[in-house]
Amino acid sequence: MNEPPEAAVTYQSYLQLDKLLSLQTPRSTGPEHDEMLFIVIHQVYELWFKEMLHELDRVAALFRSDNPHRAQHTLKRILTILKVMVAQLDILETMTPLEFLSFRARLEAASGFQSNQFRQIEFLLGAKNENALSRFPEGSQGRIALEQRFVAPTIWDAFLHYLAREGYPVPAGHLTRDHSRLVEPTPEIQEILLDIYRKDAKSAEICERLVDLDEGIAEWRYRHVRMVERTIGNKPGTGGSRGAAYLQSTIGRNLFPDLWEIRSRL
Ligand code: HEM
């Protein structure tokens, strides 16, 4: 029997636009004009988070397969995405406090606090925090994904393993460490990094891209909290935190502390 002919792929079908463009559903009555922007921008962020995770996993895989050039290339792509993500906050800042208030109550307890992909990115970059797990129902897909990320090696671990294979004396404890713990600054690793900066241009370039990444995430946190301050002042967040005061407390933690420690010794 002849198979029915497959419909030709179109722009609409390939991108599943019917589905995608039916997903913006404001909750306010009217609806309030600015709620559409609020929904679209958050959805766009979640798509970028998805792409970031996709690329960060690739960086780790490229380190594992001893491919530093491709890892660096992918890191550059991630940094470019991050710049766009930070710049996008400008759009939301065109929304005044009163425009936000016109629909804020309809968000109820929903908040970026509950962004599972954002936590996955944090975990993959080494910012592990067990408390974040409890915000997702046990057994849910999001909780399982996050639990896996919680115990999995970070980008920094993948880089240290790569350096060990390149012949650098990475202490054994670092190669077998408990990945659910935060990375602490370590003198032995700092000696290796100093050596790299002085003699190994290829690995030093990667270190610089990791510093860019650390700075890029910090930039996002800083711009997000400033936007929060100008939009809701010091009101609590819909997610139940102290709002801007909580967000301020997340700024200033370095993802790759050793890379910052060595700067004053170079
Ligand atoms: C008017 C715009 C926004 C306001 C007023 C706002 C407010 C807040 C507040 C107050 C928090 C703290 C948690 C809470 O108690 O709710 C928070 C966390 C968060 N928001 Fe936003 N936000 C806005 C836009 C965005 C956008 C566009 C994104 C992009 C995805 C985003 C992502 C996040 C994330 C990931 C967190 C968790 C941060 C952390 O725990 O370190 N927010 N937001």
Side-chain angles (χ1 to χ4, degrees):
M1 269 204 0
N2 285 343
E3 294 283 325
E6 265 188 51
V9 178
T10 65
Y11 181 80
Q12 192 89 6
S13 69
Y14 179 67
L15 298 173
Q16 301 193 58
L17 290 183
D18 288 345
K19 238 191 245 174
L20 183 67
L21 299 178
S22 68
L23 299 176
Q24 295 70 40
T25 44
R27 301 193 78 232
S28 58
T29 37
E32 291 294 342
H33 180 82
D34 284 39
E35 194 177 355
M36 181 60 88
L37 171 68
F38 191 78
I39 292 171
V40 167
I41 204 146
H42 279 84
Q43 289 182 339
V44 169
Y45 267 108
E46 288 294 334
L47 287 174
W48 281 132
F49 290 161
K50 182 171 184 170
E51 176 63 14
M52 282 263 287
L53 280 168
H54 185 60
E55 301 291 352
L56 283 167
D57 279 334
R58 180 152 171 88
V59 172
L62 288 165
F63 280 141
R64 282 197 298 273
S65 59
D66 297 320
N67 199 338
H69 285 296
R70 296 300 301 171
Q72 204 191 332
H73 172 77
T74 307
L75 276 169
K76 277 193 191 150
R77 176 179 294 170
I78 292 168
L79 292 166
T80 311
I81 295 170
L82 203 46
K83 283 219 175 304
V84 170
M85 280 171 49
V86 172
Q88 271 176 202
L89 288 173
D90 287 350
I91 309 172
L92 209 45
E93 284 189 339
T94 64
M95 183 176 69
T96 66
L98 286 179
E99 282 165 344
F100 183 43
L101 275 179
S102 72
F103 63 89
R104 190 184 188 215
R106 303 307 307 268
L107 304 179
E108 298 178 11
S111 160
F113 227 16
Q114 297 150 353
S115 169
N116 185 276
Q117 294 197 105
F118 181 78
R119 298 296 169 212
Q120 289 196 45
I121 291 173
E122 283 193 318
F123 284 8
L124 192 46
L125 293 176
K128 304 266 175 124
N129 172 6
E130 199 161 11
N131 293 335
L133 294 174
S134 62
R135 292 199 201 101
F136 303 92
E138 242 171 284
S140 65
Q141 217 184 334
R143 173 73 171 255
I144 293 165
L146 207 53
E147 280 168 350
Q148 283 167 354
R149 295 272 185 204
F150 186 61
V151 294
T154 68
I155 291 284
W156 185 247
D157 292 305
F159 183 51
L160 289 187
H161 277 261
Y162 160 73
L163 291 179
R165 288 191 303 276
E166 283 284 283
Y168 287 102
V170 178
H174 277 263
L175 301 174
T176 53
R177 75 180 196 96
D178 173 357
H179 297 124
S180 66
R181 302 184 71 92
L182 287 173
V183 171
E184 298 293 341
T186 319
E188 293 96 316
I189 301 289
Q190 287 161 29
E191 289 307 318
I192 293 174
L193 295 173
L194 287 167
D195 210 25
I196 286 176
Y197 269 81
R198 290 178 185 133
K199 297 188 202 134
D200 177 354
K202 180 183 66 178
S203 299
E205 274 288 307
I206 294 177
C207 290
E208 285 297 281
R209 296 298 74 77
L210 292 175
V211 174
D212 288 342
L213 186 54
D214 205 333
E215 229 177 24
I217 296 286
E219 213 177 322
W220 187 86
R221 291 192 202 276
Y222 173 77
R223 284 292 317 276
H224 174 258
V225 70
R226 292 301 283 171
M227 180 192 65
V228 169
E229 281 168 348
R230 72 183 275 173
T231 312
I232 61 167
N234 57 15
K235 292 179 195 170
T238 46
S241 82
R242 289 176 302 136
Y246 156 72
L247 293 167
Q248 285 286 3
S249 75
T250 67
I251 292 179
R253 291 183 213 151
N254 292 327
L255 296 167
F256 312 119
D258 288 315
L259 283 173
W260 295 92
E261 290 285 334
I262 59 162
R263 312 252 130 204
S264 46
R265 294 175 57 200
L266 279 166

